[in-house]
Amino acid sequence: LRSYGAEGQLTSVSFRGTTPNQTQVSWKGIDVNSQTLGQSDFSSIPSFLFNSVSLHHGASSTLFGSGAVGGVVDLTNKMQSGIFAQINQQIGSFGKVFTGVKGQFSTFRWGVQIAGVRNRVENNFEVDFRGDSYEQNNAASSLNGITGEAFMKFGSSKMTASLWLNEHDREAQPIIGFLNAQDHLLDRNFRSNLSFETALSPGYLDVSLAYVDDRQTYNDGSVTNLKRLVFNGEFEFEPIRNWSSRVGTNFTHGSPEVSAYESVANQIRWDAFLLNQWKATERLNLTANLRLPYQEFQDKIPLVPSIGAEYLFIDNSERDLLGAIRGARSFRFPTFNDLYWTPGGNKDLQPEDGYTVESSWKLEERTSYIKLNAALSGYMTRISEMIVWVPSGSFWSPQNVQTVRIRGVESELSISKSYKKWSWRIHGTYAYNHSENTELSTQLPYVPFHKASVVTDIRWLNWNLTYLETFTGMRYTENTNTSELSGFQVAQLSLGHDLHFGDHVINMTFQVKNLWDEAYQNY
């Protein structure tokens, strides 16, 4: 996650040296990325509304669609049986006030849950500029969101209705030293989904229909609206024992209303896929997926295959060792802005095309003293026809100008120990990423070679102390690699205590972000 400014300002996500446009954010099987810009702003996604998130890297992300070149962030709300309620109130520096409420009631036959959040922050901190300081101006943010879901079961079938409303009203933080900014951005999102699942004699059917309305207004004049109708359908069955097949399709009709487009350019997209999973032995699992994407007005329509294999080398009471290898073709169509923005849109753009291969190992060691988990992954991705906006006379225009080769290693180590009244855990990660522009033999701008983190968590009775430190290495700021931003480390400390009253729990937490007052820049 990379934040461009204070809390509430643009925050983008990317995997393994790819771009935010090559990352998909999914909710209820819907790609919630801005279909005009091609990416998600995580400052507009209240994490409190969701109780589960799963991350899919590299080759495994192609199971979610042809555009997920780097990875997928899948947001879900898993409903548990019973009654549950939660209230969260936060007060912090620089005018931060956060309020979140959740509740659910669920039985085996039916259930309903709702969650709401309001997060307001003034961002009136001090800024150092050329030996002087001033109070940050035009950076306030107000985020409101609500999600709701209800399901009902009848026989072997289940009907689920889901809703997600979002409003993010914010001032656009200016560059350092600019004191007269008045830019303003308002985002409103309406996302709804109705799904039907049923068990049939040969398998399991899951279909859904979604309506999405994304609206953005910049300075009360520049309007970006996009309405989408999305249909998802899939059928899962077992042709033979230990063999699972899933066939499905995704259909999307998009209708933009963008003041910067010459005309309304409705667009139809669809995907068809066939996924096969075979448990060949008790230790060996094989996966193969074949996807056919389509986008209106695009001539280059390839097949997008992916394959994978997992083997459990060791499986006993003390140790597990799992190895995996995967490979996939990567493919991404241009966005609405790439094609139709005026001036600069390029209707002759070709889709990004490439491939990715990776290998990973996971080890779990269990003894009477400690529990150890370790993971190591190596990957390589090559992307041709990469879309980059470049100067073209008096304006910028997207062009297929880059071929990128990405090579990297991700590692993870966790050690934990539990006693009668207390426990501790140390968790560390390190990633090396070489994202190379093959024509210039240079690292891509703003992609660090090195990233690392370490978190220490100590719990005693109802108290817990957590220390987190992250490191981001040096990043170049342009294609020639002649200017750079320095690396930085940021620490966070929190102390929490639980008070139990029968079935009720009050958790109180005191947290300090940027503990050592580190000055750093992301952009």
Side-chain angles (χ1 to χ4, degrees), residues 217-223 259:
T217 305
Y218 181 65
N219 286 343
D220 298 322
S222 178
V223 177
S259 55

Side-chain angles (χ1 to χ4, degrees), residues 283 310-315 319-324 360-361:
R283 294 177 177 268
E310 291 185 351
Y311 189 78
L312 189 60
F313 288 89
I314 302 174
D315 180 20
R319 185 177 300 111
D320 293 333
L321 178 62
L322 178 68
S360 62
W361 295 88

Side-chain angles (χ1 to χ4, degrees), residues 90-107:
Q90 299 177 21
I91 299 175
S93 303
F94 315 123
K96 179 179 175 64
V97 179
F98 175 97
T99 304
V101 179
K102 287 182 181 179
Q104 76 156 52
F105 176 81
S106 177
T107 67

Side-chain angles (χ1 to χ4, degrees), residues 26-173:
S26 177
W27 173 76
K28 301 295 178 181
I30 307 166
D31 180 3
V32 297
N33 280 357
S34 165
Q35 301 299 293
T36 53
L37 190 61
Q39 57 182 270
S40 283
D41 182 358
F42 267 71
S43 71
S44 297
I45 300 179
S47 59
F48 180 84
L49 298 181
F50 308 95
N51 55 31
S52 178
V53 59
S54 56
L55 308 179
H56 303 267
H57 304 71
S60 63
S61 63
T62 58
L63 301 179
F64 286 77
S66 55
V69 177
V72 174
V73 180
D74 189 23
L75 305 169
T76 58
N77 267 331
K78 298 179 180 179
M79 203 178 305
Q80 306 293 331
S81 179
I83 301 175
F84 169 81
Q86 178 182 354
I87 299 176
N88 187 311
Q89 183 65 55
Q90 299 177 21
I91 299 175
S93 303
F94 315 123
K96 179 179 175 64
V97 179
F98 175 97
T99 304
V101 179
K102 287 182 181 179
Q104 76 156 52
F105 176 81
S106 177
T107 67
F108 176 77
R109 289 294 179 185
W110 67 278
V112 60
Q113 68 174 4
I114 191 169
V117 65
R118 176 177 174 83
N119 187 22
R120 172 74 184 179
V121 58
E122 296 294 337
N123 286 323
N124 53 355
F125 46 82
E126 290 294 313
V127 180
D128 294 326
F129 180 62
R130 295 179 178 176
D132 201 355
S133 65
Y134 66 90
E135 185 177 284
Q136 178 65 61
N137 61 303
N138 204 72
S141 169
S142 178
L143 175 63
N144 303 297
I146 185 170
T147 57
E149 184 167 300
F151 77 87
M152 179 172 289
K153 292 181 180 179
F154 40 95
S156 58
S157 302
K158 179 181 179 182
M159 183 79 75
T160 305
S162 305
L163 183 68
W164 178 9
L165 304 177
N166 229 49
E167 181 184 80
H168 194 180
D169 189 2
R170 56 185 150 167
E171 299 166 338
Q173 183 181 355

Side-chain angles (χ1 to χ4, degrees), residues 357-424:
V357 293
E358 62 182 79
S359 178
S360 62
W361 295 88
K362 292 183 179 180
L363 171 67
E364 181 172 319
E365 190 86 18
R366 299 172 293 270
T367 71
S368 57
Y369 299 100
I370 62 170
K371 180 180 179 181
L372 182 146
N373 292 86
L376 179 66
S377 299
Y379 54 89
M380 184 183 75
T381 300
R382 184 179 179 89
I383 305 171
S384 59
E385 305 290 350
M386 190 162 172
I387 299 172
V388 180
W389 283 68
V390 296
S392 177
S394 60
F395 54 85
W396 291 59
S397 179
Q399 304 290 335
N400 297 108
V401 297
Q402 268 189 183
T403 298
V404 176
R405 181 176 61 186
I406 304 171
R407 294 165 292 176
V409 175
E410 295 172 339
S411 60
E412 189 174 354
L413 179 64
S414 179
I415 302 174
S416 59
K417 173 65 177 177
S418 296
Y419 295 92
K420 292 182 178 180
K421 295 184 178 181
W422 68 282
S423 64
W424 58 266

